[in-house]
Amino acid sequence: MHSLTEFLLKPIFLLTLSAFFHLLLLVIVLVSWVWNNFTVEAKHDSKEKSNATLLKKSFFCSLGASVFNLILFLFNCFYWYTSGWSEEKVVTLLDLALKTVAWGVVCICLHKQFFLLCSVDVVHLYEKHVLLPAQYLVSDVVSTFVGLLFCYLSYFVKNEGGDSSTLQEPLLNVHSDNNVGNGLGSKETKGDATVTPFSNAGIFSILTFSWAGPLVAVGNKKTLDLEDIPQLDSRDSVVGPFPKFRDKLEEDCGAINSVTTLKLVKSLVFSAWKDILFTAFLALLNTLASYVGPYLIDSFVQYLDGQRLYENQGYVLVSAFFFAKIIECLSQRQWLFRLQQVGIRIRALLVTMIYNKALKLSGQSRQGHTSGEIINFMSVDAERIGDFSWYMHDLWLVVLQVTLALLILYKNLGLASIAAFVATILVMLANAPLGLLQEKFQRKLMESKDTRMKATSEILRNMKILKLQGWEMKFLSKINVLRNTEQGWLQKYLYTSAMTTFLFWGAPTLVSVVTFGTCMLIGIPLESGKILSALATFRILQEPIYSLPDTISMVAQTKVSLDRISSFLCLQDLQSDAVERLRPGSSDTAIEIVGGNFSWDITSSSTTLKNINLAVSHGMRVAVCGTVGSGKSTLLSCMLGEVPKISGILKVCGSKAYVAQSPWVQSGKIEDNILFGKEMDREWYEKVLEACSLKKDLDILPFGDQTIIGERGINLSGGQKQRIQIARALYRDADIYLFDDPFSAVDAHTGSHLFKECLLGLLSSKTVVYVTHQVEFLPAADLILVMKDGKITQCGKYADLLNSGTDFMELVGAHQQAMSALNSLDGRTESIITLEPDVNASGALDVKEKDANKDMQNGKTDDTSEPLGQLVQEEEREKGKVGLSVYWNYITTAFGGALVPLILLSQTIFQALQIGSNYWMAWATPISSDVEPPVRGTTLIAVYVGLSIGSSFCILAREIFVVIAGYKTSTILFNKMHNSLFRAAMSFFDSTPSGRILNRASTDQSAVDTDIPIQIGSFAFSFIELLGIIAVMSQVAWQVFIVFIPVIAISIWYQQYYIPSARELSRLVGVCKAPIIQHFAETISGTSTIRSFDQQSRFQESNMKLTDRYSRPEFNIAGAMEWLCFRLDMLSSITFAFCLILLISVPQGVIDPGISGLAVTYGLNLNAIQAWMIWNLCNLENKIISVERILQYTSIPSEPSLVVEESRPDPSWPSYGEVDIHDLQVRYAPHLPLVLCGVTCTFRGGLKTGIVGRTGSGKSTLIQTLFRIVEPTAGQVMIDGINISSIGLHDLRSRLSIIPQDPTMFEGTVRNNLDPLEEYSDEQIWEALDKCQLGDEVRKKEGKLDSAVSENGENWSMGQRQLVCLGRVLLKKSKILVLDEATASVDTSTDNLIQQTLRKHFSNSTVITIAHRITSVLDGDMVLLLSQGLIEEYGSPTTLLEDKSSSFAALVGEYTMRSSSTFEKSVDH
């Protein structure tokens, strides 16, 4: 029996058996081929497609096996030809030849796709082959690995292919039934149909990440879209876990307002404790496995030196090395993936928490934080806390790794390990001050970034005003000043990081010098095995020591972010008890206020509203009037519960709907804006559209009510936005309606229609409180409240008030004065009215017709065949490979790329010196204590120290060069992008949501500032390091190339296969982030509307959906990354095992054991370095997209020159102010119709000209052309004989003045709001303030001219803001002044005051007025009436009124009719 076993284990029998199996394989393949050829033709066609991936991979695998065996066959022939033949050698060659032929035939069959059912046989054969105890030649062991690889590819790729069919099929037909006509909102995400395969993947699929395979396969075939990405598992979605997290936090803190950082962390940990514990176990396992290699190296070197402890020790060592590597790889992949998963969950929870908090903030808390800052909590801080998950276990792992390292060192070097320990501790302590500095610089960097982003978002909101005033370059310099501060901190942060990196790359060298020096001093013999074991240990120890500064800096950054978020969560919420809400129908009074004192600022001694007493019964109409800043809007805010109550009682009975003074519309469909979360009731919806006279507008808009509104309603006129707001309130069908002067933004005609149809029609039975400046709407009220200085000074019916007090008479008197002016022009206004007895009320098209609503309709796509595209296009993203030009651009931006060779040279010298020092130690130390060392101990250490110091300085040089190049590049890119943005035409801002621009200015700029230089550096360094390892390993055993070359080829193929998916997923992350930011920004600006409609929960849900939509690509990026890394790790492990087998197969004495040990030392790191290099490359591809996105915005088409040197006008130009327009034709884009169709007229110098006409007639376009916001298509505009198109924009705009339709104020002081260019003295500013009636108001404030103005001027009333705009033009004293509906938001008396001021101070100037109030143009010299882009009438108001058939007379008639007491009568219907 024993002899039989001996025979069976003889190499000759094993080789014969192997040859027989391969012959059998050959026969089966040929039979299979014949069978397939004649019988399975039909079946094969159907399966062909699904097996394509499998066949491709298997083809490469079998080709590799065939080529590999052929090389071995030739190698052995050559080797044995010189040393003679034997029976055994002949059988070996026969076996190799059969293997070559068998695998070759399999390869051909796969290529021709004849081979179908054979893969299973191959696997079985190979499994039998693998299980045989082969102990003879390397050929068998390597074949084993190739067999295993083929087994993996044939079985599991087949599974991947099979699984993917369910995912791929619907995905590949994504666009088949997509109705493009529905616009952006219609795309139903097909990914919604499938949940990620991860949620029900088996254990094997989870270990090998095969569940991510199908998505990678789809991404390799087509450009991935969001529809292709499956939904998150319920555990990773924010919807399920958030309520538990919120409840836990509230339970710990009592209330969200008392959150501390510690309690927030506790709740976050609690939300993912299972995963955190599991990853801790995996991290422990990984650490233990990684130290097996260094522990065994000494034994391996001794084995190679001939000290064999037992039979087959070599194989046991190789198996131990290989098994440890596999465990290390599996645990590391799972550990990192699970941590990213935890990070995604935590980030989503925090984003949701911050969003929900922002919806509840009180007005006072909101004033302390601008929208930019709140968005930063979400886009930067929550993101950073999510990223911290990578570093979660690093702090305790460092302790474990250092302990294990010291134990191994103690085993090898005895007491010298204490020196190593002390050196390690010293290096770590040296990090403490650097870590603290880094934290400080990081915090300052974040604060300065916040300030810059705040200013940027404000500038983007008000870009039109800046362009009209010619201030954009001044504001750009303001951004540059803020960026310079930020760059100061950035520079300090980067140099501190460079010092940290230098310290820690030098750390292993320092520790090893100290350790080996101690060995010399205390007489511990240095043997190469022990030295190599120590070096391997130091290399592993380098990882925790090197990553420690990163970890500490990340802990610091995360703590800063957690502190910021928890302090935000502690802010004061809206007073929940300010309003006592009664059940509908439970009281006769709808609104009751008793002794109410309210103040926006609770800490202030003076209250905003004093002693308010009011009772409004159900069904009453209450009008609120008063001068600018008297507290009218604040009164409505009280009723909504927005203003903190100091004392008194406020009860509201019934549901509310609110229409704000400045219209708030969401980006999205018009229909969705009106429904605002309610179900569609078609009949009621049509009634509401009719009442708000929106029908005609919707007919004109390209997609009707499915038209997508741009950000902040950019593609609608002010009147349209206002009427959509009113429609939203009406559709709500609430009990109480609060209107904050919604009629000011529409023309006289539409205003009267709205009042009649809405307030007196649909809302006749509802309780309505409306603020108004139009006196003509007052008689219809059941109760009128007159406000002054925060008090209700009078209340009663119209008739009663007329006979009583002064305040009311002031308002009405001003109106009557205006009306009498109108009547004096024509005593018989009655006859005018009869000219148009049936004025069609809904005929007012408050549409910037083919003008602004399609400002840039589809302007981004040059598709002239589709002029009806939506204005706001989906964000463009580059597709396919990131062009090499992007990398080249980035690398050569700073100093033309001169530093790049220096960086690479420093790294190469560093690598050479590192390998040289280790080589020296391995060569110059004896194998064992009884061998004479080749050099003296002092020489050994001196050379080692010299080489080490050299390598450390190379690192320092490299780091400094990287910082200089990265810093310079980010500065240049920032300046290029911002210069391009600020010089872009207005049409760009109209069609680009600010979220996209802000995303580039914050997230992408951050990546360019800090991440990308490090990432590019890391890739280059890891590549050089990999070359170093290959050089060391191949120098010892060149045969390793036999495996190296195919493994590297497969690695590159895998990486190429993976990259398309990773790249598109990364781009999708960028594209999915902007909507969250935009939704958040919109929510913040519309909180009062959202709260008044009780829509908080719906908005919270939308935010959760958007957050999950952003997490989907993030989650799949992590899965796909680990899918690739797992495969590369496996390939590296096979290479390493092959190298070890080669070393134990070579006869003793052929290779120096010390140098062999060095190869193993380096080989241990092979998989880590290879994975690190590929990871860096993929990460770089992902990050470089930020550069690509910034570069997109460095080449935006810009406006014409600001200054044309050769044709600069005289400093006194324009001296007369005569505007001569000749055959002016204007269109907004080449494919859109003309808006002005050949206008010819002259505005004489010094005359007042009013421009009137239905909205959409081209009034605003004419003004925009005057300022060259829009360039003329044909014709010309001359001012004082100079063609405005021939001079620079700055010269033109700075000589004209405008009071725009939307009064704008910037955050800052009163002074820099009036005089941003700092051109005037304080005396001049005070003079201007007095002229515009704001002097006393400003003198009351503590800071006088330096008193603060909050974001958007929110601490000033709308009317006061309009007066500030008046102040600006009074300072500028231009010869030409344009008023664009400038008095829309002020009461009649303030309007009269503005008109008087203008008459007084601009008596010699040309004043061009676009007006809603006919009285504003009646006292002018000329009136221009536009209709559909043409001049209908032009002449003096008196002349036009005398002609009873003129259109102007008809307009005046409408106004007079409205202003008579028609509404009063209609009340009694």
Side-chain angles (χ1 to χ4, degrees):
M1 187 65 195
H2 183 69
S3 59
L4 177 65
T5 311
E6 216 169 74
F7 169 72
L8 289 176
L9 287 177
K10 272 191 175 174
I12 190 159
F13 171 75
L14 294 171
L15 290 165
T16 312
L17 188 67
S18 171
F20 167 72
F21 275 130
H22 279 92
L23 190 60
L24 186 63
L25 168 64
L26 199 54
V27 172
I28 290 172
V29 170
L30 291 171
V31 169
S32 178
W33 171 68
V34 171
W35 178 258
N36 277 326
N37 234 10
F38 295 107
T39 63
V40 199
E41 202 76 17
K43 257 193 236 173
H44 176 69
D45 287 346
S46 65
K47 283 198 179 179
E48 186 175 336
K49 193 174 174 185
S50 64
N51 281 342
T53 321
L54 162 70
L55 294 178
K56 192 173 176 186
K57 292 184 181 178
S58 309
F59 165 75
F60 279 115
C61 186
S62 44
L63 177 66
S66 178
V67 171
F68 173 73
N69 282 302
L70 179 65
I71 292 169
L72 278 184
F73 175 76
L74 296 172
F75 175 65
N76 283 337
C77 276
F78 172 75
Y79 193 67
W80 286 329
Y81 180 72
T82 53
S83 59
W85 299 90
S86 70
E87 197 178 59
E88 206 171 279
K89 289 175 182 175
V90 172
V91 173
T92 305
L93 285 179
L94 176 68
D95 180 32
L96 286 172
L98 274 169
K99 283 179 186 173
T100 306
V101 175
W103 286 113
V105 171
V106 168
C107 167
I108 293 163
C109 288
L110 283 168
H111 183 59
K112 298 291 181 192
Q113 296 194 2
F114 294 136
F115 181 49
L116 220 143
L117 307 168
C118 188
S119 57
V120 180
D121 298 322
V122 175
V123 173
H124 283 314
L125 288 166
Y126 248 94
E127 277 176 347
K128 283 182 190 168
H129 188 85
V130 167
L131 293 170
L132 293 167
Q135 297 171 1
Y136 184 57
L137 265 177
V138 67
S139 146
D140 271 0
V141 182
V142 173
S143 293
T144 301
F145 288 121
V146 177
L148 275 172
L149 194 62
F150 188 80
C151 159
Y152 160 70
L153 283 167
S154 56
Y155 262 142
F156 307 124
V157 175
K158 179 181 268 185
N159 287 347
E160 279 180 29
D163 293 348
S164 73
S165 59
T166 54
L167 180 67
Q168 285 175 22
E169 279 316 303
L171 296 178
L172 297 178
N173 306 325
V174 141
H175 299 296
S176 59
D177 55 1
N178 230 349
N179 180 5
V180 179
N182 283 348
L184 309 185
S186 70
K187 264 196 183 175
E188 280 232 59
T189 49
K190 303 278 165 152
D192 290 2
T194 55
V195 175
T196 173
F198 174 71
S199 57
N200 48 20
I203 182 77
F204 193 83
S205 178
I206 285 173
L207 282 176
T208 60
F209 292 91
S210 300
W211 59 268
L215 188 67
V216 178
V218 173
N220 199 41
K221 288 199 186 84
K222 65 181 275 275
T223 302
L224 281 180
D225 287 314
L226 194 63
E227 298 87 285
D228 303 329
I229 298 171
Q231 288 290 53
L232 293 172
D233 183 52
S234 57
R235 286 164 303 183
D236 296 313
S237 162
V238 72
V239 181
F242 178 72
K244 292 179 200 159
F245 167 69
R246 185 191 52 216
D247 297 345
K248 172 77 179 138
L249 191 58
E250 282 176 0
E251 183 189 314
D252 287 352
C253 308
I256 293 288
N257 287 9
S258 51
V259 170
T260 60
T261 306
L262 194 64
K263 284 174 179 169
L264 182 61
V265 171
K266 190 177 156 194
S267 298
L268 287 170
V269 169
F270 181 78
S271 71
W273 67 273
K274 288 179 186 167
D275 291 286
I276 292 171
L277 278 180
F278 182 53
T279 49
F281 167 71
L282 289 170
L284 176 68
L285 192 63
N286 175 263
T287 307
L288 294 172
S290 67
Y291 277 101
V292 170
Y295 184 79
L296 292 176
I297 278 187
D298 189 23
S299 312
F300 191 74
V301 171
Q302 300 303 332
Y303 172 83
L304 292 180
D305 193 36
Q307 298 172 29
R308 319 264 158 119
L309 299 178
Y310 51 87
E311 203 183 346
N312 298 337
Q313 186 193 355
Y315 288 100
V316 170
L317 283 172
V318 169
S319 304
F321 273 120
F322 183 65
F323 185 66
K325 268 281 160 239
I326 296 291
I327 295 289
E328 184 188 344
C329 153
L330 282 171
S331 57
Q332 189 176 25
R333 300 282 61 90
Q334 291 300 322
W335 161 35
L336 293 177
F337 173 69
R338 302 274 169 175
L339 281 182
Q340 287 178 77
Q341 204 180 357
V342 169
I344 289 170
R345 285 182 204 170
I346 285 177
R347 189 204 58 222
L349 289 173
L350 286 171
V351 166
T352 311
M353 201 76 210
I354 293 164
Y355 181 86
N356 292 2
K357 179 69 182 180
L359 267 179
K360 291 190 289 196
L361 276 190
S362 68
Q364 194 181 351
S365 306
R366 261 290 283 115
Q367 283 200 342
H369 288 78
T370 63
S371 51
E373 283 177 302
I374 298 175
I375 287 169
N376 256 357
F377 291 137
M378 189 198 69
S379 66
V380 179
D381 294 304
E383 196 83 36
R384 179 169 296 123
I385 295 166
D387 290 344
F388 175 70
S389 62
W390 281 87
Y391 301 85
M392 199 178 285
H393 300 305
D394 285 13
L395 287 171
W396 64 266
L397 276 178
V398 165
V399 178
L400 176 69
Q401 286 168 316
V402 170
T403 311
L404 286 172
L406 291 171
L407 289 173
I408 293 174
L409 288 174
Y410 185 73
K411 168 186 170 275
N412 287 317
L413 303 175
L415 288 175
S417 60
I418 294 169
F421 177 67
V422 172
T424 305
I425 296 298
L426 285 174
V427 165
M428 286 185 170
L429 287 176
N431 174 59
L434 281 173
L436 288 171
L437 270 179
Q438 227 174 338
E439 179 193 354
K440 176 188 163 191
F441 296 150
Q442 170 68 28
R443 193 173 57 250
K444 294 288 189 189
L445 179 64
M446 283 307 303
E447 284 167 12
S448 50
K449 186 185 251 44
D450 278 355
T451 316
R452 172 174 66 82
M453 287 312 298
K454 192 162 121 185
T456 308
S457 76
E458 184 173 54
I459 286 169
L460 289 175
R461 266 201 308 277
N462 301 311
M463 187 55 89
K464 189 164 192 175
I465 308 295
L466 299 186
K467 295 231 175 254
L468 287 167
Q469 304 277 15
W471 291 342
E472 68 267 46
M473 296 329 275
K474 172 70 185 174
F475 277 76
L476 173 60
S477 65
K478 185 176 155 186
I479 292 283
N480 286 335
V481 168
L482 293 173
R483 172 68 181 171
N484 289 341
T485 314
E486 186 185 343
Q487 277 177 330
W489 293 115
L490 176 66
Q491 209 167 12
K492 288 174 180 161
Y493 174 74
L494 290 173
Y495 278 116
T496 317
S497 299
M499 283 311 297
T500 317
T501 309
F502 161 63
L503 190 65
F504 287 93
W505 271 94
T509 314
L510 174 72
V511 174
S512 51
V513 165
V514 169
T515 311
F516 298 148
T518 311
C519 287
M520 294 295 300
L521 288 173
I522 59 176
I524 296 172
L526 289 175
E527 299 164 13
S528 55
K530 288 175 177 170
I531 289 263
L532 289 168
S533 181
L535 286 175
T537 309
F538 293 143
R539 278 181 79 86
I540 292 193
L541 198 54
Q542 178 184 4
E543 180 63 34
I545 296 182
Y546 174 59
S547 64
L548 188 67
D550 271 359
T551 308
I552 289 175
S553 126
M554 197 62 196
V555 168
Q557 291 177 32
T558 307
K559 186 179 179 308
V560 169
S561 290
L562 281 163
D563 288 343
R564 279 160 54 95
I565 289 177
S566 57
S567 66
F568 174 69
L569 293 176
C570 286
L571 288 177
Q572 195 62 44
D573 281 351
L574 209 58
Q575 249 186 27
S576 54
D577 56 349
V579 180
E580 194 183 326
R581 291 183 169 79
L582 306 175
R583 221 174 51 255
S586 60
S587 165
D588 297 337
T589 318
I591 302 167
E592 186 180 3
I593 308 177
V594 182
N597 288 295
F598 300 89
S599 174
W600 284 108
D601 183 359
I602 304 176
T603 54
S604 164
S605 53
S606 64
T607 55
T608 318
L609 293 184
K610 305 167 195 67
N611 196 23
I612 303 291
N613 290 289
L614 172 67
V616 180
S617 306
H618 287 293
M620 258 177 99
R621 257 193 304 276
V622 180
V624 184
C625 59
T627 53
V628 167
S630 59
K632 302 182 295 296
S633 298
T634 308
L635 181 64
L636 291 194
S637 297
C638 287
M639 297 172 184
L640 291 170
E642 295 284 323
V643 188
K645 182 172 70 178
I646 306 296
S647 63
I649 299 169
L650 165 54
K651 295 178 182 176
V652 174
C653 175
S655 58
K656 304 177 301 295
Y658 167 64
V659 178
Q661 188 171 13
S662 352
W664 177 77
V665 289
Q666 267 185 291
S667 47
K669 292 183 205 158
I670 291 177
E671 182 189 279
D672 294 342
N673 264 285
I674 296 173
L675 297 182
F676 208 56
K678 273 192 88 172
E679 289 297 312
M680 167 62 89
D681 171 351
R682 183 57 68 183
E683 193 182 335
W684 178 240
Y685 181 72
E686 293 297 334
K687 271 188 191 167
V688 167
L689 291 184
E690 193 63 61
C692 298
S693 59
L694 278 166
K695 277 281 180 58
K696 287 272 171 57
D697 305 72
L698 297 181
D699 293 343
I700 288 168
L701 289 171
F703 296 95
D705 63 2
Q706 299 301 307
T707 300
I708 289 195
I709 301 175
E711 191 181 19
R712 299 189 314 280
I714 204 100
N715 49 338
L716 299 174
S717 71
Q720 280 172 315
K721 284 187 277 193
Q722 195 60 278
R723 283 177 299 127
I724 285 172
Q725 255 210 136
I726 296 171
R728 174 171 64 211
L730 291 184
Y731 190 79
R732 196 92 209 133
D733 199 18
D735 303 318
I736 300 168
Y737 282 84
L738 305 174
F739 287 101
D740 194 353
D741 195 19
F743 309 114
S744 57
V746 295
D747 60 30
H749 193 82
T750 315
S752 57
H753 172 78
L754 286 173
F755 191 81
K756 205 175 198 169
E757 294 295 319
C758 300
L759 269 73
L760 307 181
L762 290 179
L763 303 182
S764 55
S765 61
K766 306 280 186 183
T767 311
V768 182
V769 180
Y770 60 98
V771 169
T772 186
H773 289 132
Q774 276 96 328
V775 174
E776 54 272 24
F777 293 149
L778 296 176
D782 301 319
L783 181 68
I784 297 173
L785 307 177
V786 183
M787 296 202 67
K788 191 172 189 182
D789 300 330
K791 295 180 188 139
I792 298 177
T793 53
Q794 290 172 282
C795 72
K797 285 205 174 230
Y798 186 72
D800 307 337
L801 292 178
L802 270 182
N803 307 327
S804 56
T806 51
D807 295 333
F808 188 62
M809 279 312 293
E810 227 175 83
L811 295 166
V812 177
H815 173 67
Q816 286 172 343
Q817 202 182 327
M819 289 308 298
S820 61
L822 186 144
N823 292 334
S824 67
L825 284 166
D826 188 328
R828 296 172 300 122
T829 34
E830 306 310 314
S831 60
I832 298 172
I833 297 170
T834 57
L835 288 173
E836 225 176 333
D838 51 356
V839 174
N840 175 5
S842 63
L845 308 183
D846 200 354
V847 183
K848 291 189 183 176
E849 216 163 328
K850 300 274 186 337
D851 103 359
N853 91 50
K854 281 192 246 159
D855 258 356
M856 260 297 280
Q857 292 272 350
N858 215 24
K860 281 215 196 99
T861 59
D862 301 326
D863 186 354
T864 43
S865 65
E866 255 191 273
L868 292 183
Q870 295 280 16
L871 166 70
V872 180
Q873 299 293 327
E874 281 205 59
E875 179 162 7
E876 74 294 346
R877 59 182 175 112
E878 305 282 339
K879 299 211 169 177
K881 202 166 183 175
V882 177
L884 278 176
S885 60
V886 175
Y887 290 96
W888 183 250
N889 253 330
Y890 181 80
I891 289 171
T892 55
T893 299
F895 314 111
L899 289 180
V900 176
L902 292 174
I903 293 171
L904 294 175
L905 183 66
S906 316
Q907 176 64 19
T908 310
I909 296 172
F910 164 73
Q911 194 60 35
L913 291 174
Q914 277 260 303
I915 292 173
S917 62
N918 292 343
Y919 207 92
W920 167 255
M921 290 304 276
W923 175 82
T925 48
I927 289 293
S928 56
S929 46
D930 49 358
V931 179
E932 185 64 31
V935 293
R936 288 211 334 271
T938 45
T939 316
L940 175 79
I941 294 295
V943 172
Y944 186 66
V945 168
L947 291 169
S948 302
I949 290 172
S951 69
S952 296
F953 278 110
C954 285
I955 280 289
L956 184 61
R958 177 196 91 182
E959 281 305 305
I960 287 171
F961 288 146
V962 168
V963 166
I964 293 170
Y967 173 76
K968 182 76 176 165
T969 306
S970 78
T971 307
I972 292 170
L973 285 176
F974 178 89
N975 292 338
K976 271 188 178 174
M977 175 168 81
H978 280 71
N979 287 334
S980 173
L981 272 174
F982 278 72
R983 290 288 295 113
M986 200 55 225
S987 53
F988 169 77
F989 297 97
D990 286 346
S991 56
T992 308
S994 61
R996 289 180 199 171
I997 302 172
L998 291 173
N999 216 348
R1000 283 168 173 83
S1002 62
T1003 316
D1004 293 327
Q1005 187 62 47
S1006 282
V1008 172
D1009 284 346
T1010 51
D1011 301 348
I1012 295 176
I1014 294 168
Q1015 212 70 58
I1016 287 187
S1018 290
F1019 169 66
F1021 309 152
S1022 52
F1023 180 67
I1024 291 169
E1025 204 167 340
L1026 188 65
L1027 290 179
I1029 291 180
I1030 293 173
V1032 170
M1033 287 175 78
S1034 55
Q1035 193 265 339
V1036 174
W1038 61 265
Q1039 293 87 342
V1040 86
F1041 272 116
I1042 295 170
V1043 168
F1044 245 137
I1045 291 165
V1047 161
I1048 284 178
I1050 295 171
S1051 298
I1052 290 169
W1053 178 81
Y1054 258 128
Q1055 193 255 346
Q1056 292 304 315
Y1057 182 75
Y1058 155 85
I1059 272 289
S1061 308
R1063 191 171 44 230
E1064 295 313 321
L1065 284 168
S1066 268
R1067 286 181 175 140
L1068 283 171
V1069 166
V1071 169
C1072 289
K1073 189 169 185 178
I1076 300 185
I1077 294 179
Q1078 193 181 331
H1079 181 249
F1080 204 170
E1082 279 183 353
T1083 304
I1084 291 169
S1085 60
T1087 38
S1088 50
T1089 306
I1090 294 167
R1091 293 194 285 231
S1092 67
F1093 281 82
D1094 294 324
Q1095 290 289 302
Q1096 294 96 313
S1097 58
R1098 183 169 69 86
F1099 274 77
Q1100 287 165 358
E1101 261 170 50
S1102 301
N1103 177 59
M1104 286 189 193
K1105 277 183 190 152
L1106 287 169
T1107 307
D1108 278 351
R1109 187 169 172 258
Y1110 174 48
S1111 299
R1112 266 160 62 194
E1114 286 253 344
F1115 173 81
N1116 284 288
I1117 282 176
M1121 183 84 208
E1122 300 306 333
W1123 175 90
L1124 175 72
C1125 287
F1126 171 77
R1127 281 144 183 76
L1128 297 183
D1129 277 358
M1130 284 298 154
L1131 290 168
S1132 313
S1133 303
I1134 288 167
T1135 311
F1136 179 54
F1138 177 72
C1139 180
L1140 292 176
I1141 290 164
L1142 265 180
L1143 291 174
I1144 61 169
S1145 306
V1146 171
Q1148 191 183 338
V1150 174
I1151 300 176
D1152 178 346
I1155 304 300
S1156 299
L1158 182 65
V1160 177
T1161 309
Y1162 273 92
L1164 279 173
N1165 261 24
L1166 178 68
N1167 68 323
I1169 297 292
Q1170 189 182 347
W1172 188 41
M1173 184 188 88
I1174 298 286
W1175 187 83
N1176 273 316
L1177 178 60
C1178 299
N1179 229 8
L1180 176 58
E1181 276 249 347
N1182 296 347
K1183 291 279 184 195
I1184 203 81
I1185 290 168
S1186 289
V1187 175
E1188 180 182 58
R1189 284 158 58 85
I1190 286 176
L1191 289 173
Q1192 275 177 353
Y1193 277 14
T1194 54
S1195 51
I1196 306 165
S1198 85
E1199 290 187 303
S1201 306
L1202 291 176
V1203 174
V1204 178
E1205 285 301 341
E1206 53 274 14
S1207 61
R1208 293 203 70 168
D1210 193 67
S1212 63
W1213 177 86
S1215 47
Y1216 302 107
E1218 180 166 304
V1219 181
D1220 191 11
I1221 298 170
H1222 180 68
D1223 189 29
L1224 184 64
Q1225 297 177 21
V1226 177
R1227 53 162 54 100
Y1228 279 94
H1231 59 271
L1232 294 177
L1234 287 171
V1235 182
L1236 293 179
C1237 318
V1239 172
T1240 303
C1241 65
T1242 301
F1243 300 146
R1244 300 253 169 256
L1247 294 187
K1248 316 281 176 281
T1249 306
I1251 304 179
V1252 292
R1254 296 257 188 260
T1255 330
S1257 54
K1259 306 189 295 291
S1260 293
T1261 307
L1262 185 58
I1263 300 303
Q1264 288 188 46
T1265 313
L1266 191 59
F1267 282 84
R1268 285 177 66 196
I1269 294 288
V1270 186
E1271 293 289 327
T1273 308
Q1276 57 183 21
V1277 179
M1278 311 284 282
I1279 297 181
D1280 283 4
I1282 291 182
N1283 183 347
I1284 62 168
S1285 297
S1286 66
I1287 60 173
L1289 289 180
H1290 198 265
D1291 282 335
L1292 170 68
R1293 291 171 186 169
S1294 60
R1295 311 292 173 89
L1296 308 178
S1297 284
I1298 184 165
I1299 303 184
Q1301 185 174 0
D1302 299 318
T1304 304
M1305 286 178 79
F1306 300 92
E1307 187 169 10
T1309 63
V1310 175
R1311 180 188 280 106
N1312 59 28
N1313 260 288
L1314 280 161
D1315 177 27
L1317 305 183
E1318 296 157 16
E1319 295 171 334
Y1320 305 100
S1321 66
D1322 281 9
E1323 289 74 36
Q1324 289 170 301
I1325 294 174
W1326 277 117
E1327 190 187 330
L1329 281 170
D1330 287 330
K1331 284 177 188 170
C1332 66
Q1333 310 295 312
L1334 280 175
D1336 297 338
E1337 187 68 38
V1338 177
R1339 284 187 185 92
K1340 273 189 225 164
K1341 295 182 184 286
E1342 280 175 38
K1344 305 283 189 288
L1345 287 181
D1346 292 317
S1347 56
V1349 175
S1350 66
E1351 192 181 16
N1352 293 334
E1354 276 168 10
N1355 54 348
W1356 292 62
S1357 79
M1358 196 80 154
Q1360 287 170 325
R1361 282 181 249 167
Q1362 195 65 276
L1363 293 174
V1364 169
C1365 295
L1366 174 65
R1368 287 180 190 148
V1369 302
L1370 289 168
L1371 267 179
K1372 209 168 170 186
K1373 296 195 183 94
S1374 303
K1375 204 70 189 153
I1376 296 175
L1377 168 66
V1378 176
L1379 306 176
D1380 187 359
E1381 298 169 343
T1383 54
S1385 52
V1386 293
D1387 56 81
T1388 319
S1389 60
T1390 313
D1391 182 14
N1392 288 352
L1393 184 147
I1394 290 176
Q1395 298 301 337
Q1396 283 162 17
T1397 312
L1398 294 175
R1399 271 198 289 277
K1400 188 171 166 190
H1401 299 287
F1402 287 92
S1403 51
N1404 300 322
S1405 302
T1406 308
V1407 180
I1408 300 168
T1409 310
I1410 294 181
H1412 282 155
R1413 291 184 177 150
I1414 296 293
T1415 47
S1416 315
V1417 296
L1418 283 176
D1419 63 347
D1421 301 300
M1422 302 292 279
V1423 170
L1424 173 71
L1425 192 136
L1426 286 174
S1427 174
Q1428 295 182 337
L1430 289 163
I1431 295 180
E1432 194 170 325
E1433 293 166 2
Y1434 184 39
S1436 74
T1438 329
T1439 320
L1440 292 175
L1441 279 174
E1442 280 167 4
D1443 175 6
K1444 300 295 179 279
S1445 62
S1446 73
S1447 303
F1448 181 63
L1451 269 178
V1452 174
E1454 282 173 32
Y1455 185 81
T1456 330
M1457 180 173 70
R1458 179 178 97 165
S1459 301
S1460 61
S1461 54
T1462 31
F1463 297 120
E1464 203 171 8
K1465 292 163 198 158
S1466 61
V1467 180
D1468 311 319
H1469 57 92

